[in-house]
Amino acid sequence: MSDEACSDQQSAPLGAVPRHIAIIMDGNGRWATQQGLPRIVGHEKGAESVRESIAACAEAGVAYLTLYAFSKENWLRPREEVSGLMVLLNRFLLDNTEDLKAKNIRLQAIGRLTDLPTSCQVALHRAIEATAACSGLTVILALSYSGRIEIVDGIRSLLREVEMGHLDKGMIDPETFSKHLYTRYYPDPDLVLRTSGEMRISNFLLWQISYAEIIFMSKLWPEFRKADLWSAIDEFSKRQRRYGGI
Ligand code: FPP
């Protein structure tokens, strides 16, 4: 994506809006380093951008927003950064659940959630329960998430069904497989956004983004604002999706 495209669009876009946007929120650490601040401050500012992106999606009429909040690989970071991120997640859930509910926003999560500290699991399940009946935007947090592990978990789940005689292995097709992924309740993303100028997918929703449009923007995640999301939607609406056809 060009930098002009992620500038200052002041109102929600009027063109075609993606049903599902997935975001790789990158650049918190670099932002903090540039400011001479500890990395955790970058993550704290990143949590503000999370709120901005949720509000921007709700205003634009996006139905699903998936946020890559913590990857399986992120456990390898220094212990104090990991625990700082878990504290931040906990606080985000405690501070925002009522507001999400008031705005009719449903919270969901995907990933190996049992890897999370118990306090985060409890806060997460409370937030999911509290917002379960909300019918507006669905926000899906990807936590301790790995696309490859999701696929392996999906294969294991399929094999169990075959072994129990509930599924004929000759009937396995992409649709059947999709029903065994963490994302089985949601449509595939139409648009993937990644901030910070890195042009990688980093093990995010590998199966689900087969036909998604991808927009890379150089802005670091803590600087991401509503206008950036709306500009990305605007660019999306100008792209022609052919799904391999002509
Ligand atoms: C990538 O930046 C970001 C993360 C690994 C974590 C994402 C977390 C947040 C946006 C804040 C909290 C989220 C919620 C849901 C409350 P990086 O640290 O890899 O940045 P760098 O590449 O510049 O080092």
Side-chain angles (χ1 to χ4, degrees), residues 25-31 39 43 46-47 50 68-69 74 77 81 85 88-89 92 141 221:
M25 309 181 285
D26 195 15
N28 294 349
R30 269 163 289 166
W31 180 87
R39 288 178 60 85
H43 295 310
V50 166
Y68 203 3
N74 287 154
R77 291 189 176 203
E81 182 166 342
L85 277 164
L88 201 53
L89 171 65
F92 177 86
L141 296 181
W221 180 251

Side-chain angles (χ1 to χ4, degrees), residues 24-33 39 42-51 67-71 74 77 81 85 88-93 96 141 143 194 196 198 200 220-222:
I24 304 174
M25 309 181 285
D26 195 15
N28 294 349
R30 269 163 289 166
W31 180 87
T33 305
R39 288 178 60 85
H43 295 310
E44 283 165 7
K45 289 292 285 180
E48 282 174 33
S49 305
V50 166
R51 280 188 286 274
L67 296 169
Y68 203 3
F70 195 84
S71 73
N74 287 154
R77 291 189 176 203
E81 182 166 342
L85 277 164
L88 201 53
L89 171 65
N90 215 342
R91 202 190 313 149
F92 177 86
L93 294 166
N96 290 284
L141 296 181
L143 292 163
R194 181 175 190 147
S196 92
E198 304 290 350
R200 292 188 287 275
L220 303 173
W221 180 251

